Amino acid sequence: MSLRLLATGLLLTVAPGAVGAQLVRGTVREAGSGAPLAGVVVSIHRPADGNPTTSLAATLTNTSGEFSITPGDTGYFILIAKRIGVRQFQSPPFALVPGQAHHLDVTLDPVRYELPVVTVSEATPCRARGADRGRIAALWEEARTAITASELSLRDRLFRATITRYQRQLEARQLITR
């Protein structure tokens, strides 16, 4: 029995990260109504000079707006939550130690994008107006969010689908109308 306790103590000393995974969990809600938001992309990153690094892990919130994400390491992290139609949330840096669970609730503000009116005229060279660049970048970020949500849905098998395939053969003579 004392040998088993000694082995457990040695394991805790040598590999503290193997004992329990670090976890970040919380709920994402809409500002104003307080309603939980499903399908929000929640990702965890390492902070790097004000700009987050590549995502270490990502998930989608469930129908209750809840998320649970494991960075797979200890240290300082930031959490980013984004969804089409709301302003992106970025948390301040927080530390995770081995086996720690960190709770972080997120509130997202709705945002409205209006595209400018498109006018077709004679051929003119394409040029972007400086005032439009920010809106264009924001719309591309919305597209990136939609693609990321689709990838996470496929990866985590968050939906069920049934595909039905129909096949029909027709004779060429029967296609002629008289």
Side-chain angles (χ1 to χ4, degrees):
M1 175 117 155
S2 62
L3 184 58
R4 187 178 294 170
L5 287 173
L6 178 64
T8 304
L10 184 60
L11 178 63
L12 291 173
T13 307
V14 174
V19 174
Q22 297 64 246
L23 181 68
V24 181
R25 67 173 52 152
T27 304
V28 179
R29 297 187 181 279
E30 181 181 45
S33 71
L37 292 175
V40 176
V41 176
V42 178
S43 56
I44 196 157
H45 306 255
R46 290 217 184 263
D49 300 329
N51 294 323
T53 59
T54 308
S55 171
L56 300 172
T59 190
L60 290 174
T61 57
N62 64 17
T63 56
S64 301
E66 299 167 337
F67 67 90
S68 179
I69 190 166
T70 305
D73 200 1
T74 58
Y76 284 91
F77 302 95
I78 59 171
L79 183 119
I80 294 177
K82 56 188 172 180
R83 178 178 163 193
I84 294 175
V86 295
R87 222 173 286 291
Q88 176 177 298
F89 169 85
Q90 182 174 320
S91 75
F94 57 89
L96 286 176
V97 297
Q100 180 184 6
H102 182 76
H103 187 85
L104 181 64
D105 287 332
V106 176
T107 302
L108 297 177
D109 295 315
V111 66
R112 183 180 161 128
Y113 293 106
E114 289 187 27
L115 296 174
V117 175
V118 176
T119 305
V120 179
S121 61
E122 294 180 31
T124 59
C126 240
R127 52 196 146 137
R129 288 179 263 163
D132 292 337
R133 288 188 179 129
R135 287 193 309 195
I136 293 169
L139 289 172
W140 275 112
E141 188 59 35
E142 295 286 299
R144 181 191 326 258
T145 301
I147 292 169
T148 302
S150 295
E151 288 175 344
L152 291 171
S153 294
L154 286 171
R155 181 196 74 189
D156 296 342
R157 300 174 190 254
L158 298 177
F159 63 91
R160 289 182 180 253
T162 302
I163 298 173
T164 305
R165 183 176 177 191
Y166 295 96
Q167 187 172 356
R168 183 175 173 190
Q169 292 183 350
L170 299 172
E171 299 272 334
R173 291 181 207 175
Q174 294 176 344
L175 296 175
I176 299 172
T177 50
R178 296 178 193 196

